Amino acid sequence: MGEEPTRRGVLAAGALLAAGFLASCTPGGGSGCGADTPAPSGPASGRVPEDIVTGLSAPWDLVFLDGSALVSERDSGRILEIVREGDRPARTRVVGTVPGVTHVGEGGLLGLAVGAGRMLYAFSTAKDGNRLQRFPLTGGAGSFGLGCAETMLGGIPAARFHHGGRIAFGPDGMLYAGVGDAQEPDKAQDVQSVQGKILRLAPDGTVPTDNPFPGSLTYSYGHRNVQGLAWTPDGRLFASEFGQNTWDELNEIVPGGNYGWPLAEGIARRSGFRDPVQQWSPSEASPSGLAFLDGAFYLANLKGQSLRRVPLADPGRSEVLLRGELGRLRTVVPAPDGSLWILTNNTDGRGSPRAGDDRVVRLPVR
């Protein structure tokens, strides 16, 4: 997740948080350095997190299918289904376990995506590296099962940190995957390497003919560790990305764009590199999940333990909807009822688990 202990300024950030102040704009940050404003939360605002399920172990991603939610657990390799039956409390059941998952550092079972034909796509770590696989789903809501794996892309370089792992289908029907630099920063500038990239694949794993680099899965490059992907209604792709010691980023992604890493971090104003639309200090953010709903992006932050809202109309600004109430936040997803569902991430070895962690919570935003 890009939070390895090389980051600086944690003690200073902790002092600011203890004082009840959260600022993501430092002197010299320039345009796109987000000015956070607090947003009301609690009963008066209607923004009260509601537990859906508790007792999860290092959950990483969540997707909806036929009204059910499927959750990946990083370390166990399990895919769980959240079953809701009338007024009874929601429960989880095991859909299946992805075979061969190896948990090392930040690796394990990470991103999920649902494709056509009821195919479930998964990004996971195996002994020989990361891989993209797909599985037919059997049964229906409340009784989903996991079919046999088909590996679409294997041997993706892996390390202890910087796996990326977020996958999502775009409005063009193609599968996009954030792949980290696997602690080899220079690979991010090599368009022939899959490291430090956003990849674009056809649903069967082949290279789309209209990708920006002929014969390559690379869609954009110069990334350190992308873990959030979301599209606007007009088809524009945005991505959240972990920085190193200076800036985390929210980027608008264009085909063939170079986002600078490791030659630039944050807003660099250097020819040939695309600058983020907003940046934050890593101690205040560490954005993993990204969602778009009702004209705004929502970012789930790990180290910052916050949920941020960034209006599309003014993407250089943001407001904090949650801060500290739930601990570390890994994933945020729009739910069928118009709310947001959020995965906490306090049991992954870096958080401070509370009673009931980890959990899926529902947050009304309308």
Side-chain angles (χ1 to χ4, degrees), residues 221-237:
Y221 66 110
H223 297 291
R224 182 175 180 269
N225 195 11
V226 168
Q227 285 193 7
L229 301 168
W231 284 263
T232 61
D234 61 359
R236 288 183 287 161
L237 171 61

Side-chain angles (χ1 to χ4, degrees), residues 92-251:
T92 61
R93 56 173 296 273
V94 178
V95 174
T97 300
V98 174
V101 169
T102 300
H103 162 55
V104 177
E106 296 170 352
L109 177 57
L110 305 179
L112 301 177
V114 176
R118 302 168 70 81
M119 298 293 290
L120 182 67
Y121 292 72
F123 187 109
S124 66
T125 309
K127 288 183 178 179
D128 61 349
N130 289 320
R131 61 196 176 170
L132 267 169
Q133 296 178 298
R134 64 178 180 177
F135 306 79
L137 284 170
T138 62
S143 62
F144 282 125
L146 198 64
C148 294
E150 176 188 353
T151 299
M152 305 163 58
L153 181 64
I156 301 170
R160 186 169 181 80
F161 303 111
H162 307 179
H163 294 259
R166 191 72 62 185
I167 59 176
F169 276 93
D172 57 2
M174 299 296 158
L175 180 65
Y176 292 74
V179 178
D181 67 11
Q183 296 182 265
E184 293 185 291
D186 291 345
K187 296 288 189 181
Q189 288 294 318
D190 178 2
V191 297
Q192 298 306 315
S193 167
V194 296
Q195 293 164 253
K197 306 294 186 299
I198 294 177
L199 305 181
R200 181 174 182 260
L201 303 82
D204 62 359
T206 57
V207 180
T209 57
D210 57 347
N211 268 10
F213 303 102
S216 172
L217 293 172
T218 296
Y219 188 73
S220 62
Y221 66 110
H223 297 291
R224 182 175 180 269
N225 195 11
V226 168
Q227 285 193 7
L229 301 168
W231 284 263
T232 61
D234 61 359
R236 288 183 287 161
L237 171 61
F238 286 72
S240 55
E241 180 168 352
F242 290 92
Q244 182 165 300
N245 295 316
T246 310
W247 297 116
D248 290 334
E249 301 176 355
L250 176 63
N251 287 295

Side-chain angles (χ1 to χ4, degrees), residues 52-103:
I52 299 296
V53 293
T54 59
L56 302 178
S57 177
W60 208 95
D61 206 0
L62 183 151
V63 293
F64 285 96
L65 177 63
D66 295 343
S68 280
L70 304 178
V71 176
S72 62
E73 286 190 332
R74 185 192 68 182
D75 302 354
S76 70
R78 298 190 308 174
I79 296 172
L80 308 178
E81 180 180 8
I82 298 175
V83 179
R84 306 180 82 187
E85 299 168 322
D87 295 331
R88 285 181 286 181
R91 60 181 176 87
T92 61
R93 56 173 296 273
V94 178
V95 174
T97 300
V98 174
V101 169
T102 300
H103 162 55

